[in-house]
Amino acid sequence: MVRPMTSIITVLRAAVPAALLVLAPFAASAQSGSAPQVVTEHSRATLMLSKSVATPGETLWAALKLELDPGWHTYWRNSGDSGLAGSITWTLPEGVSAGEIAWPTPERVPYGPLMNFGYSDKVILPVPLTVAPGATAPRTLSLEAKAMWLVCADICIPDEGGFAITLNVDAAGTASIDAAEIEGALAALPQPAPWPVALSKANGTVVVTAGPGVAIADSSTVTYFPYDGGLIDNAAPQTVEKNADRLTVSVAEAPLPLDLPAQTGGLLVMSPEQPEASPIAYSFTAAAPAMADATPLAAPQTEPAGLVLAIAFAFLGGLILNLMPCVLPVLAMKALSLVGQGDNAAAQRRRDGLLYTLGVMVTFGALAVGLLALRAAGAEIGWGFQLQSPAFVLVLVYVLMALGFSLSGVFTIGGGIMGAGQGLTQRGGGAGAFFTGALAVVVATPCTAPFMGVAMGFAMTQPPLDMFVVFQGLALGLAAPFLALSFAPRLAALLPKPGAWMDRFKQVLAFPMYASAAWLVWVLSQQLGPEGFAAAMAGVVLIGMAAWTWGLIQDAAQATARRPRLGIVTGLAALIAAAGLVGAVADAPGIGARATASEDAGIEPYSAARLETLRGEGKAVFVNFTAAWCITCLMNERVALNTPEVKAAFAKGDIVYLKADWTNRDPAITAALAAFGRHGVPLYVLYPAGGGAAQVLPQLLTAGSVLAALGPK
């Protein structure tokens, strides 16, 4: 399948040669070509300008025209139950600024039980461009834009393209050949409502009230399109009442209502009875309706009775985290350092234990502060939110690979760039202990241990101080084993005596690091697809090259007391290229669970609308809240959910399996987790046939526990 060249592949083609050309380490990166038009498999995108010559101080219009194959559609600013709105990112010269997309009137796009909002055939997305009054004239400017859009039919394909177009600035403006087409699109845009509009909510119904002053023919139909998701049930019928010069539209609220900004709004689209007549859309902004009467799903499990119980649960969860495969290699690496201290270093062991604990607590404290800041900003986040950032995942891959290379003896930790980051975790003394504790927290975030779910769910709903204290309880649990080993001489006596085996064991510890990095590369491929995998593998090669080069530099310096400049330049070039890949990954669009159907037979992607439909039909439903970066989730699927006996029980009981994939950030899934008092995965919920209360299964599953929850067969 022919696909457009993406930003990641562009950076790969530019960055990798720059690192590998030893004799030309400062070679400039190649840039991908751009043009006014990009053709993809099912769409054709064109960047247009309303004027080819603009005057200083003037506002003109740029527009992205999308022409779609028959049967395919793209999405409005609020995509509805599924899909993703398009976006345009501008790179403009000084003196030119761009506004937001002026979204045309959408249409309802039904897909099974879902209702999406978007466009078919052709859509023009105008964007205002303003030339500063003091802009130099005459002058020729190059305008560049990167656009991303999703096209869907039976499947969805994310498309993107880079565009470049020329604008002249002169004393006399001149219309372009695209002016008429853009003016037609602007004339059809929704116009501000000339009468007051208010939003309210009561008894599970959202009501839009317009008027007085509304004039509408009795034969016209009216449709409400909300600006924000999570307000209405998009697929529900809308009831319209016309009373003199007032209009009321009523629609059921969303099955899982989401928090809204203080001001929201939408469109009221009035469609005449005559099919040849164009609809008229009115835009409005109004105060968001109060959500006090929203009824989220009640949490089936018992919440902690108080702060003390939540801290105890967090402490137990932190203890169990030490046994998780993501944390155990780090703990083993630090335990090895205790062995090397011998029998006469009790004070040093205690100091290391305390500083390791301090590193864990400070990092958990920083994580809590970050979560609080994002929550205060209105973000829907939860435990493990860092790994929903592909750039963070790639940086973590680099850190683990660098640690592995050091343990394997490719280079030794010392001063300089390579020792500035990962070296802190392996160097001797208090700094090494502190930063090993910090690393343990970073690699622990993909894991959710038993007891953690309830404690974290409690913490995320509490005031800032209580949340911070619960996080510190989790930190103490994670740090407790190493702290006990540091302070208890009898436990330390159980460790083997120092010897030649230590160097070999250190090399063995490199392989869990490599395995963890390989798993994170797979996570990145789930987030960004093959391009994410390619970026990660290229980055691993570059980090390996930098580590190997630095090892050569250290060997040369030890032999001659001189460091070869060419080797230093090569190593730095590799690191710079690896950093460039992180930037490319940060800008890359995620695949998203909604954009790709599950490849597992019999498993459907989760959506609140689909769950509500199935429950309305009286079906039994099992929902698996999971993520590719959640080790516990993957283990549960391997040992329980994917076993033949459990699959047979699902089929025999006619149980619909929905998979809520939280690998990439998804506010709808975050809200569904929060409704059960959870802010992390895994979560397993079974809805019985015919209605009734939902049942939450344990966080650690066995085939037997799942079969028991499904009931007698």
Side-chain angles (χ1 to χ4, degrees), residues 9-304:
I9 298 302
T10 301
V11 174
L12 283 176
R13 292 180 175 177
V16 174
L20 298 180
L21 290 176
V22 175
L23 298 179
F26 295 106
S29 297
Q31 295 187 1
S32 60
S34 298
Q37 187 175 88
V38 172
V39 178
T40 70
E41 188 175 4
H42 296 288
S43 65
R44 184 168 65 255
T46 307
L47 184 64
M48 307 185 299
L49 289 177
S50 63
K51 285 196 169 185
S52 56
V53 181
T55 60
E58 181 180 13
T59 296
L60 65 153
W61 289 88
L64 181 67
K65 178 170 69 172
L66 296 176
E67 298 172 282
L68 310 176
D69 285 353
W72 291 77
H73 61 270
T74 190
Y75 294 92
W76 185 51
R77 56 178 291 179
N78 172 14
S79 61
D81 288 326
S82 64
L84 184 69
S87 64
I88 305 175
T89 303
W90 293 91
T91 302
L92 300 174
E94 184 178 358
V96 181
S97 60
E100 300 296 325
I101 295 174
W103 292 94
T105 303
E107 58 190 40
R108 288 163 65 91
V109 184
Y111 188 80
L114 306 181
M115 182 62 69
N116 300 324
F117 307 141
Y119 314 97
S120 56
D121 298 330
K122 184 180 78 170
V123 62
I124 295 177
L125 304 178
V127 177
L129 297 179
T130 300
V131 181
T136 303
R139 184 183 176 195
T140 300
L141 303 177
S142 177
L143 313 180
E144 296 182 2
K146 178 182 177 181
M148 292 180 286
W149 63 97
L150 184 68
V151 293
C152 295
D154 293 332
I155 62 172
C156 289
I157 300 176
D159 282 333
E160 66 175 7
F163 303 86
I165 199 166
T166 299
L167 173 67
N168 294 314
V169 178
D170 208 336
T174 304
S176 74
I177 59 174
D178 299 317
E181 195 168 9
I182 294 177
E183 289 174 2
L186 294 173
L189 287 176
Q191 53 187 285
W195 13 259
V197 182
L199 289 170
S200 61
K201 187 168 70 66
N203 300 322
T205 301
V206 175
V207 180
V208 185
T209 304
V214 179
I216 179 174
D218 291 338
S219 59
S220 296
T221 59
V222 180
T223 307
Y224 166 49
F225 291 88
Y227 282 158
D228 295 293
L231 176 59
I232 69 169
D233 183 344
N234 300 312
Q238 299 188 8
T239 302
V240 179
E241 297 181 6
K242 305 167 188 175
N243 183 10
D245 60 349
R246 295 178 184 270
L247 175 70
T248 301
V249 180
S250 302
V251 60
E253 68 174 346
L256 286 174
L258 300 179
D259 291 335
L260 298 172
Q263 292 288 316
T264 183
L267 303 180
L268 287 174
V269 180
M270 302 179 182
S271 303
E273 185 178 19
Q274 300 80 7
E276 66 277 3
S278 300
I280 301 175
Y282 295 96
S283 62
F284 68 89
T285 301
M291 303 303 287
D293 59 338
T295 311
L297 296 171
Q301 77 276 8
T302 303
E303 294 282 354

